[in-house]
Amino acid sequence: MTITTKIFGEISVEDDKIIHFPGGIIGFPDLTDFTMIHDEEDGVASIHWLQSIQEPAFAMPVIDPLIVKEDYSPDVDEELLKPLGELTEDETLVLVTLSVPQDLTKMTVNLKGPIIINSGNRKACQAIIDGDEYKVKFPIYDILQARKAGE
């Protein structure tokens, strides 16, 4: 299928590249189908985009949380994960949403609301982590700059 997106223009999406969120995502329960787009300019290894299939103007920047918090290991309610089917370590992808304001030094990730994807069957959900261990707005600018300088 072909969709016209706000950020990437017209893109082709193969059926086997569609990620289905049975319950939608937080704040957008009607958006259930997404595809993953890599932003080549920012580097394939770090920032990706979850592009909505139903709403072409909606795309969320996401990142592997281990890039900014090496010990990230949230405890996710097993009931929430059941609709994703059997999750194996090799087929489980965890991402967090990225917030990029005009002032890049205030860039944050949401460690409290990870996105869990079963890459085997392409089903996904967004979880809310209980407790105070992880922040909704975890600052990452300095972490990314340090990683960039070290590479």
Side-chain angles (χ1 to χ4, degrees):
M1 97 177 55
T2 300
I3 61 172
T4 302
T5 69
K6 181 177 178 179
I7 298 173
F8 300 100
E10 193 171 282
I11 61 169
S12 246
V13 179
E14 302 295 323
D15 286 346
D16 67 349
K17 299 295 183 193
I18 295 175
I19 301 165
H20 182 67
F21 287 73
I25 58 171
I26 295 169
F28 302 92
D30 295 336
L31 300 183
T32 57
D33 293 322
F34 290 80
T35 191
M36 185 88 72
I37 298 174
H38 305 286
D39 188 340
E40 301 295 335
E41 290 178 17
D42 287 337
V44 173
S46 59
I47 297 175
H48 310 283
W49 293 83
L50 267 179
Q51 171 65 57
S52 171
I53 301 295
Q54 291 112 330
E55 179 51 60
F58 187 86
M60 292 188 303
V62 293
I63 191 170
D64 179 342
L66 298 178
I67 290 173
V68 295
K69 185 151 180 60
E70 293 177 4
D71 64 347
Y72 186 69
S73 182
D75 186 20
V76 179
D77 183 353
E78 292 294 323
E79 283 298 311
L80 184 64
L81 299 176
K82 279 186 179 177
L84 305 187
E86 185 179 343
L87 286 169
T88 65
E89 191 174 327
D90 291 343
E91 293 182 333
T92 303
L93 176 62
V94 177
L95 300 168
V96 291
T97 56
L98 183 66
S99 187
V100 185
Q102 273 192 305
D103 179 355
L104 293 181
T105 64
K106 301 202 184 313
M107 192 177 342
T108 62
V109 293
N110 179 356
L111 295 178
K112 201 159 184 70
I115 293 168
I116 297 102
I117 301 171
N118 180 336
S119 62
N121 63 15
R122 296 175 318 280
K123 288 186 180 177
C125 69
Q126 186 173 16
I128 296 290
I129 306 305
D130 291 331
D132 297 327
E133 184 177 0
Y134 297 112
K135 296 180 181 182
V136 171
K137 292 188 177 270
F138 181 75
I140 62 166
Y141 180 80
D142 291 338
I143 295 167
L144 293 177
Q145 291 304 311
R147 286 185 72 93
K148 192 175 182 181
E151 290 180 356

